[in-house]
Amino acid sequence: MASKTTSTLRDKFSFTRLFLGADVSNPERELEAKIINKQTLVAVENDEAADMIDMSHHFSAGYMNQFDLKNQAEVINEYRSMSTHAEVDKAIDDIINEAITSDADENPVELVIRDDESISDDIRLKIEKEFLHLLHLLKLDLRSYEIFRQYYVDGRLYYHKIIDPDQPNKGILKLVNLDPRATKKVKEILTETDPVSKIDKIVDTRSYFLYDPSFSNISTGDGVSTRTSVVATLHQAVELSTDTVAFIHSGILSGDNNNVVLGHLEKARKPLNNLRMLEDAAVIYRITRAPERRIFYVDVGTLPKKGAEEYMMGLINKYRTKLVYDGTSGKVKGNSHQVSMMEDYWLPRREGGKGTEISTLPAGQNLNQIDDLKYFQKKLLESLQVPKSRLESEATISIGNRATEINRDELKFNKFVQRLRRRFNGLFLDLLRTQLILKNITSAEDWDDVLMPLLTFEYASDLFIKEEQEAQVLEARLAALDMADPYVGKYFSRETLMKTILRMNDQDIEDELGRIQKEIKAGLYISDEEQSQLDNGIHDDQIDAELKLAKANKPPAPPATKK
């Protein structure tokens, strides 16, 4: 039975690969994975955030996937609802603006290929051209902010690669953004019991993406799904090969098998809910306790109890006001009487009392105390990992020589942004791998072993800030170089100073020295040796001129006298 299931899995695996139109797998790596699976006792590290399904319980796998998608859709909807809150939206906006920016003069992301003898100039140009094509498919120059924001808020990003199955060498024709609420990665494992140790060992694995568009309509708020039956929508699910989908996630994993992806907003859920409840409670308390109340002591005379009650209700309805606070919109709703006050108190008095009387109940005290609100607001900002100073409207930005110091929060925030960029780079690497293999620019083996380690991505920054920072760094390096110049040839070599102070590598040094020699030959300036000789020659000429002048102006010696 195990061998039959294994064969079925392999056949199905080949079919899902053909869905892309071409084989972009690495047979060597797959063989290594099979060897590892046979020797491990548990499923290999699930860093792909996939649902682990043991095929020995295959009858329940479909239901499990459906309920996992339902929970995932509800979590993402909650993240999106959180992002509309004013403080959270401001923090997200600051994070996205720091992580990626779009300028008219340059692309948001540039591909950097490190120098290596294994990559020719022709291959380098082809790779750069295909990367620009992928940026065009993503429309990154127009939608860089929206794409990165979706990745940050939802905690995951899926892109479906569309190609021509008949002509796969055309590469990726279009990229379709899949709804993360309807997409889930699944990893099926096949186990068999070892007859000696009686321990279940992994025989085979298969990964794919499950897409069910019906989960895009899952609603939250009351916690009830818009669908009435999970089984009724099983036919809508589509299975996609791992090669057809580019998938990145936040890297924050939870669950028994690390199969639950949490967004970066997960840490802010509790502080935000506390802040929302406290804000609503503070508004309601201030509305109800701020005004002074009137107490009406109404003389009902000798009216019977029922008649007294009707008389009192008539007066109450005549002067009554009823205001209701709407927590969603923040407005106070209700029709109030012009001359009435809010929630007045009406008390009957029998004949023989003091008669009708109206007194005033004082308003609530200490209504201006908001220390508790500030506490939860601070907790919210800390959970979002944004420095508090960035969210203050009065705060200013120091650029250039005025920005000589940086606080600890800014340093941590910069590292956080760098981590976000590294995770986001996975999208470019996945798409570029598929594109280069489909166009026969590289093979799957060369990509994994040679090309991918040489690729890095450089993100654009605001031009004015970038220029000011670069000018400040250059000024500091030139000052240090000027201080070290007298020690060249005595304690340091020129090459050492170029590497340690100017931060040049061997290739940079070779290029700069070559440019200097070209400019010397062109006569733009003279060399150091010629300058030294010229300085010495001018010095000798000056000495000779001064000696001749002194000799010419010397008075003649007096004639010698004879004795």
Side-chain angles (χ1 to χ4, degrees):
M1 180 177 179
S3 61
K4 182 178 179 180
T5 310
T6 305
S7 176
T8 304
L9 282 175
R10 289 173 180 169
D11 293 342
K12 195 173 184 181
F13 196 19
S14 301
F15 171 77
T16 54
R17 275 195 189 146
L18 291 177
F19 185 79
L20 181 62
D23 191 359
V24 296
S25 61
N26 189 339
E28 248 179 70
R29 295 300 171 93
E30 289 188 0
L31 182 60
E32 291 177 1
K34 290 181 179 180
I35 295 175
I36 293 174
N37 289 338
K38 288 182 179 179
Q39 299 186 30
T40 185
L41 301 178
V42 296
V44 291
E45 294 86 358
N46 186 21
D47 56 350
E48 301 173 347
D51 279 345
M52 307 292 291
I53 299 178
D54 190 345
M55 294 307 294
S56 60
H57 304 288
H58 181 69
F59 65 94
S60 62
Y63 299 96
M64 185 187 303
N65 286 332
Q66 297 292 323
F67 284 114
D68 286 341
L69 277 173
K70 178 177 180 293
N71 295 333
Q72 177 174 291
E74 292 176 350
V75 169
I76 293 176
N77 280 336
E78 185 171 356
Y79 290 157
R80 294 181 179 181
S81 175
M82 292 171 59
S83 66
T84 60
H85 193 271
E87 283 83 358
V88 178
D89 179 71
K90 192 174 182 181
I92 293 175
D93 186 70
D94 205 69
I95 292 172
I96 306 305
N97 288 334
E98 188 72 20
I100 192 167
T101 182
S102 179
D103 192 88
D105 299 331
E106 58 181 343
N107 290 320
V109 182
E110 296 287 345
L111 175 65
V112 179
I113 307 175
R114 292 194 291 270
D115 295 328
D116 192 270
E117 297 178 353
S118 60
I119 302 179
S120 63
D121 293 339
D122 182 55
I123 295 297
R124 186 185 301 270
L125 292 175
K126 289 182 179 179
I127 295 174
E128 293 174 350
K129 179 182 177 182
E130 297 304 328
F131 179 71
L132 293 176
H133 174 68
L134 293 175
L135 294 184
H136 175 70
L137 293 179
L138 288 170
K139 299 180 181 178
L140 202 67
D141 55 338
L142 300 176
R143 301 190 66 252
S144 58
Y145 180 89
E146 291 79 6
I147 294 175
F148 206 98
R149 183 184 176 94
Q150 180 187 352
Y151 158 69
Y152 178 82
V153 173
D154 295 346
R156 67 216 81 196
L157 201 60
Y158 299 88
Y159 272 96
H160 188 202
K161 311 167 193 174
I162 307 297
I163 71 166
D164 185 357
D166 298 327
Q167 295 179 313
N169 56 355
K170 288 184 177 180
I172 301 175
L173 303 178
K174 187 176 182 180
L175 292 171
V176 179
N177 188 2
L178 299 178
D179 193 331
R181 298 171 296 180
T183 312
K184 181 70 176 177
K185 189 170 186 179
V186 180
K187 188 172 186 179
E188 295 179 353
I189 60 174
L190 181 66
T191 60
E192 63 180 14
T193 304
D194 185 85
V196 179
S197 62
K198 305 298 182 182
I199 297 177
D200 291 339
K201 290 188 176 182
I202 299 175
V203 178
D204 203 354
T205 62
R206 185 175 73 91
S207 298
Y208 58 90
F209 286 93
L210 189 68
Y211 177 73
D212 190 345
S214 62
F215 284 91
S216 299
N217 300 321
I218 291 291
S219 63
T220 56
D222 55 0
V224 180
S225 170
T226 55
R227 297 181 297 104
T228 57
S229 174
V230 173
V231 182
T233 60
L234 287 176
H235 65 279
Q236 298 185 21
V238 179
E239 184 178 312
L240 302 174
S241 165
T242 55
D243 295 332
T244 65
V245 179
F247 168 52
I248 57 172
H249 58 81
S250 64
I252 307 175
L253 304 178
S254 181
D256 297 335
N257 294 315
N258 285 337
N259 61 335
V260 179
V261 178
L262 302 178
H264 292 282
L265 296 180
E266 180 66 26
K267 300 183 292 296
R269 288 177 68 179
K270 184 177 179 180
L272 178 59
N273 290 332
N274 291 338
L275 181 61
R276 280 175 170 173
M277 288 189 296
L278 199 58
E279 286 177 342
D280 292 343
V283 171
I284 294 173
Y285 178 76
R286 280 155 178 76
I287 290 176
T288 56
R289 295 294 295 159
E292 293 182 346
R293 313 295 181 85
R294 292 178 301 185
I295 303 178
F296 290 82
Y297 297 95
V298 180
D299 186 5
V300 295
T302 59
L303 290 174
K305 181 179 180 181
K306 184 176 180 181
E309 291 178 353
E310 292 177 354
Y311 177 70
M312 289 286 296
M313 289 303 299
L315 293 176
I316 291 173
N317 291 332
K318 184 177 181 180
Y319 296 101
R320 180 187 182 188
T321 176
K322 185 66 175 178
L323 300 181
V324 179
Y325 174 71
D326 185 2
T328 303
S329 62
K331 295 182 179 180
V332 178
K333 298 180 179 180
N335 296 323
S336 59
H337 196 277
Q338 290 286 341
V339 297
S340 65
M341 295 184 67
M342 186 174 179
E343 297 295 336
D344 293 330
Y345 295 97
W346 299 77
L347 302 175
R349 275 183 177 175
R350 287 293 178 181
E351 183 181 11
K354 297 181 180 180
T356 301
E357 179 186 351
I358 302 176
S359 61
T360 303
L361 183 67
Q365 305 298 320
N366 299 326
L367 298 180
N368 59 343
Q369 299 296 326
I370 57 173
D371 293 339
D372 48 356
L373 285 173
K374 291 182 178 179
Y375 170 77
F376 283 105
Q377 193 175 43
K378 180 182 177 182
K379 295 286 290 183
L380 176 62
L381 299 182
E382 290 177 352
S383 65
L384 294 170
Q385 296 181 288
V386 178
K388 184 180 178 181
S389 59
R390 285 176 171 260
L391 301 179
E392 295 176 353
S393 57
E394 296 82 6
T396 58
I397 301 176
S398 297
I399 303 174
N401 293 329
R402 300 180 298 277
T404 55
E405 295 182 0
I406 182 171
N407 57 38
R408 185 176 180 85
D409 289 340
E410 285 291 338
L411 182 61
K412 292 171 62 177
F413 180 69
N414 181 66
K415 292 183 178 294
F416 172 63
V417 171
Q418 294 299 327
R419 291 197 300 271
L420 290 178
R421 287 176 173 177
R422 282 195 294 270
R423 298 295 305 186
F424 194 74
N425 290 344
L427 175 65
F428 302 131
L429 291 174
D430 190 305
L431 297 176
L432 194 58
R433 176 185 184 273
T434 303
Q435 182 75 356
L436 297 182
I437 294 176
L438 289 177
K439 290 211 164 186
N440 297 321
I441 297 176
T442 186
S443 62
E445 294 80 6
D446 290 341
W447 168 267
D448 294 333
D449 300 331
V450 179
L451 189 56
M452 188 177 68
L454 301 177
L455 302 181
T456 57
F457 300 94
E458 182 176 342
Y459 286 76
S461 59
D462 294 326
L463 292 181
F464 177 73
I465 297 177
K466 183 179 180 181
E467 290 174 0
E468 288 289 336
Q469 291 174 342
E470 290 177 351
Q472 180 184 352
V473 171
L474 181 60
E475 181 182 353
R477 289 179 179 177
L478 292 178
L481 189 64
D482 184 64
M483 294 175 60
D485 187 72
Y487 303 101
V488 175
K490 186 176 181 181
Y491 298 109
F492 307 104
S493 65
R494 289 182 179 274
E495 183 179 355
T496 299
L497 295 184
M498 295 175 77
K499 286 185 176 180
T500 56
I501 297 180
L502 298 180
R503 300 296 181 182
M504 294 182 176
N505 54 32
D506 293 335
Q507 186 64 39
D508 293 336
I509 294 175
E510 182 180 350
D511 294 342
E512 287 300 324
L513 293 178
R515 294 189 187 100
I516 292 174
Q517 292 301 322
K518 287 182 180 180
E519 292 176 355
I520 291 175
K521 292 180 180 179
L524 298 180
Y525 49 84
I526 60 177
S527 63
D528 293 342
E529 183 179 357
E530 292 174 344
Q531 184 66 42
S532 177
Q533 293 175 357
L534 183 60
D535 292 341
N536 293 333
I538 292 175
H539 185 63
D540 294 341
D541 293 342
Q542 289 177 349
I543 293 176
D544 293 341
E546 291 176 359
L547 289 175
K548 289 179 181 180
L549 182 62
K551 189 175 181 179
N553 295 333
K554 184 178 180 181
T561 58
K562 295 183 179 180
K563 294 183 179 180

Short mmCIF file of all heavy atoms in Angstrom, two decimals, residues 410-432:
data_model
loop_
_atom_site.label_atom_id
_atom_site.label_comp_id
_atom_site.label_asym_id
_atom_site.label_seq_id
_atom_site.Cartn_x
_atom_site.Cartn_y
_atom_site.Cartn_z
N GLU A 410 16.62 54.52 16.99
CA GLU A 410 16.83 54.68 15.55
C GLU A 410 17.70 53.56 14.99
O GLU A 410 17.48 53.08 13.89
CB GLU A 410 17.47 56.04 15.26
CG GLU A 410 16.52 57.22 15.37
CD GLU A 410 15.47 57.22 14.27
OE1 GLU A 410 15.72 56.59 13.22
OE2 GLU A 410 14.41 57.84 14.46
N LEU A 411 18.70 53.15 15.76
CA LEU A 411 19.56 52.05 15.32
C LEU A 411 18.77 50.75 15.21
O LEU A 411 18.91 50.00 14.23
CB LEU A 411 20.73 51.89 16.29
CG LEU A 411 21.76 50.81 15.95
CD1 LEU A 411 22.42 51.11 14.61
CD2 LEU A 411 22.81 50.70 17.04
N LYS A 412 17.93 50.46 16.21
CA LYS A 412 17.10 49.25 16.17
C LYS A 412 16.11 49.31 15.02
O LYS A 412 15.83 48.30 14.37
CB LYS A 412 16.39 49.07 17.50
CG LYS A 412 17.31 48.75 18.66
CD LYS A 412 16.57 48.80 19.99
CE LYS A 412 15.47 47.78 20.06
NZ LYS A 412 14.80 47.79 21.39
N PHE A 413 15.55 50.50 14.78
CA PHE A 413 14.60 50.66 13.68
C PHE A 413 15.27 50.42 12.33
O PHE A 413 14.69 49.79 11.44
CB PHE A 413 13.99 52.05 13.73
CG PHE A 413 12.99 52.33 12.65
CD1 PHE A 413 11.77 51.68 12.64
CD2 PHE A 413 13.26 53.21 11.63
CE1 PHE A 413 10.84 51.93 11.64
CE2 PHE A 413 12.35 53.47 10.62
CZ PHE A 413 11.13 52.82 10.64
N ASN A 414 16.49 50.89 12.17
CA ASN A 414 17.22 50.67 10.93
C ASN A 414 17.48 49.19 10.70
O ASN A 414 17.34 48.69 9.58
CB ASN A 414 18.54 51.45 10.96
CG ASN A 414 19.34 51.27 9.68
OD1 ASN A 414 18.94 51.70 8.62
ND2 ASN A 414 20.48 50.62 9.80
N LYS A 415 17.84 48.47 11.75
CA LYS A 415 18.06 47.02 11.61
C LYS A 415 16.76 46.29 11.28
O LYS A 415 16.75 45.32 10.51
CB LYS A 415 18.67 46.46 12.91
CG LYS A 415 20.10 46.92 13.17
CD LYS A 415 20.66 46.28 14.41
CE LYS A 415 22.09 46.72 14.65
NZ LYS A 415 22.99 46.22 13.57
N PHE A 416 15.65 46.76 11.85
CA PHE A 416 14.35 46.17 11.56
C PHE A 416 13.99 46.35 10.08
O PHE A 416 13.51 45.42 9.42
CB PHE A 416 13.29 46.80 12.46
CG PHE A 416 11.88 46.41 12.13
CD1 PHE A 416 11.45 45.10 12.22
CD2 PHE A 416 10.95 47.37 11.71
CE1 PHE A 416 10.15 44.74 11.92
CE2 PHE A 416 9.66 47.03 11.41
CZ PHE A 416 9.25 45.71 11.51
N VAL A 417 14.23 47.53 9.54
CA VAL A 417 13.96 47.80 8.13
C VAL A 417 14.84 46.93 7.24
O VAL A 417 14.39 46.41 6.21
CB VAL A 417 14.15 49.29 7.82
CG1 VAL A 417 14.09 49.55 6.32
CG2 VAL A 417 13.08 50.12 8.53
N GLN A 418 16.10 46.74 7.63
CA GLN A 418 16.99 45.89 6.85
C GLN A 418 16.49 44.45 6.82
O GLN A 418 16.60 43.76 5.80
CB GLN A 418 18.41 45.95 7.42
CG GLN A 418 19.08 47.31 7.30
CD GLN A 418 19.24 47.74 5.85
OE1 GLN A 418 19.44 46.93 4.95
NE2 GLN A 418 19.14 49.04 5.62
N ARG A 419 15.95 43.97 7.95
CA ARG A 419 15.40 42.61 7.97
C ARG A 419 14.19 42.50 7.05
O ARG A 419 14.01 41.48 6.36
CB ARG A 419 15.01 42.21 9.40
CG ARG A 419 16.18 42.02 10.32
CD ARG A 419 15.76 41.24 11.57
NE ARG A 419 14.71 41.92 12.31
CZ ARG A 419 14.92 42.80 13.27
NH1 ARG A 419 16.16 43.14 13.59
NH2 ARG A 419 13.91 43.35 13.90
N LEU A 420 13.35 43.52 7.04
CA LEU A 420 12.20 43.51 6.13
C LEU A 420 12.67 43.44 4.68
O LEU A 420 12.10 42.70 3.86
CB LEU A 420 11.36 44.77 6.32
CG LEU A 420 10.56 44.89 7.62
CD1 LEU A 420 9.83 46.23 7.66
CD2 LEU A 420 9.55 43.76 7.74
N ARG A 421 13.70 44.18 4.33
CA ARG A 421 14.19 44.16 2.95
C ARG A 421 14.77 42.80 2.59
O ARG A 421 14.55 42.31 1.47
CB ARG A 421 15.27 45.24 2.79
CG ARG A 421 14.73 46.66 2.78
CD ARG A 421 15.86 47.66 2.72
NE ARG A 421 15.38 49.03 2.54
CZ ARG A 421 16.18 50.10 2.51
NH1 ARG A 421 17.49 49.95 2.65
NH2 ARG A 421 15.68 51.30 2.34
N ARG A 422 15.50 42.18 3.50
CA ARG A 422 16.09 40.87 3.19
C ARG A 422 15.00 39.82 2.93
O ARG A 422 15.14 38.99 2.03
CB ARG A 422 17.00 40.43 4.33
CG ARG A 422 18.36 41.10 4.32
CD ARG A 422 19.33 40.38 5.21
NE ARG A 422 18.94 40.47 6.60
CZ ARG A 422 19.33 41.43 7.42
NH1 ARG A 422 20.10 42.41 6.97
NH2 ARG A 422 18.93 41.44 8.67
N ARG A 423 13.92 39.86 3.72
CA ARG A 423 12.83 38.93 3.47
C ARG A 423 12.14 39.24 2.14
O ARG A 423 11.75 38.33 1.41
CB ARG A 423 11.80 39.01 4.60
CG ARG A 423 12.30 38.64 5.97
CD ARG A 423 12.72 37.21 6.13
NE ARG A 423 11.67 36.28 5.76
CZ ARG A 423 11.77 34.96 5.92
NH1 ARG A 423 12.88 34.44 6.43
NH2 ARG A 423 10.80 34.16 5.54
N PHE A 424 12.00 40.51 1.82
CA PHE A 424 11.35 40.91 0.58
C PHE A 424 12.20 40.55 -0.64
O PHE A 424 11.67 40.33 -1.72
CB PHE A 424 11.09 42.42 0.60
CG PHE A 424 10.14 42.89 -0.46
CD1 PHE A 424 8.79 42.65 -0.35
CD2 PHE A 424 10.60 43.56 -1.57
CE1 PHE A 424 7.91 43.08 -1.33
CE2 PHE A 424 9.73 44.01 -2.55
CZ PHE A 424 8.38 43.76 -2.43
N ASN A 425 13.52 40.46 -0.47
CA ASN A 425 14.40 40.08 -1.57
C ASN A 425 14.08 38.68 -2.10
O ASN A 425 14.39 38.35 -3.24
CB ASN A 425 15.86 40.13 -1.14
CG ASN A 425 16.35 41.55 -0.93
OD1 ASN A 425 15.71 42.50 -1.38
ND2 ASN A 425 17.46 41.70 -0.24
N GLY A 426 13.47 37.85 -1.26
CA GLY A 426 13.11 36.50 -1.70
C GLY A 426 12.17 36.51 -2.90
O GLY A 426 12.20 35.59 -3.72
N LEU A 427 11.33 37.54 -3.01
CA LEU A 427 10.43 37.65 -4.16
C LEU A 427 11.24 37.84 -5.44
O LEU A 427 10.98 37.18 -6.45
CB LEU A 427 9.47 38.82 -3.96
CG LEU A 427 8.53 39.15 -5.12
CD1 LEU A 427 7.57 37.99 -5.37
CD2 LEU A 427 7.76 40.44 -4.85
N PHE A 428 12.22 38.73 -5.43
CA PHE A 428 13.04 38.97 -6.63
C PHE A 428 13.86 37.73 -7.00
O PHE A 428 13.99 37.40 -8.18
CB PHE A 428 13.97 40.16 -6.39
CG PHE A 428 13.25 41.42 -6.04
CD1 PHE A 428 13.64 42.18 -4.96
CD2 PHE A 428 12.16 41.85 -6.78
CE1 PHE A 428 12.98 43.35 -4.62
CE2 PHE A 428 11.49 43.02 -6.47
CZ PHE A 428 11.90 43.76 -5.38
N LEU A 429 14.41 37.05 -6.00
CA LEU A 429 15.22 35.87 -6.28
C LEU A 429 14.38 34.75 -6.90
O LEU A 429 14.82 34.08 -7.83
CB LEU A 429 15.89 35.38 -4.99
CG LEU A 429 16.98 36.28 -4.41
CD1 LEU A 429 17.45 35.76 -3.06
CD2 LEU A 429 18.16 36.38 -5.38
N ASP A 430 13.18 34.55 -6.38
CA ASP A 430 12.30 33.50 -6.92
C ASP A 430 11.92 33.80 -8.36
O ASP A 430 12.01 32.92 -9.24
CB ASP A 430 11.05 33.40 -6.05
CG ASP A 430 10.19 32.18 -6.39
OD1 ASP A 430 9.82 32.04 -7.57
OD2 ASP A 430 9.90 31.39 -5.48
N LEU A 431 11.50 35.03 -8.62
CA LEU A 431 11.10 35.39 -9.98
C LEU A 431 12.29 35.36 -10.94
O LEU A 431 12.17 34.88 -12.08
CB LEU A 431 10.47 36.78 -9.99
CG LEU A 431 9.18 36.95 -9.19
CD1 LEU A 431 8.72 38.40 -9.21
CD2 LEU A 431 8.08 36.04 -9.72
N LEU A 432 13.44 35.84 -10.50
CA LEU A 432 14.62 35.87 -11.37
C LEU A 432 15.11 34.46 -11.68
O LEU A 432 15.56 34.19 -12.80
CB LEU A 432 15.72 36.69 -10.70
CG LEU A 432 16.89 37.12 -11.59
CD1 LEU A 432 16.40 37.94 -12.77
CD2 LEU A 432 17.91 37.91 -10.78
#
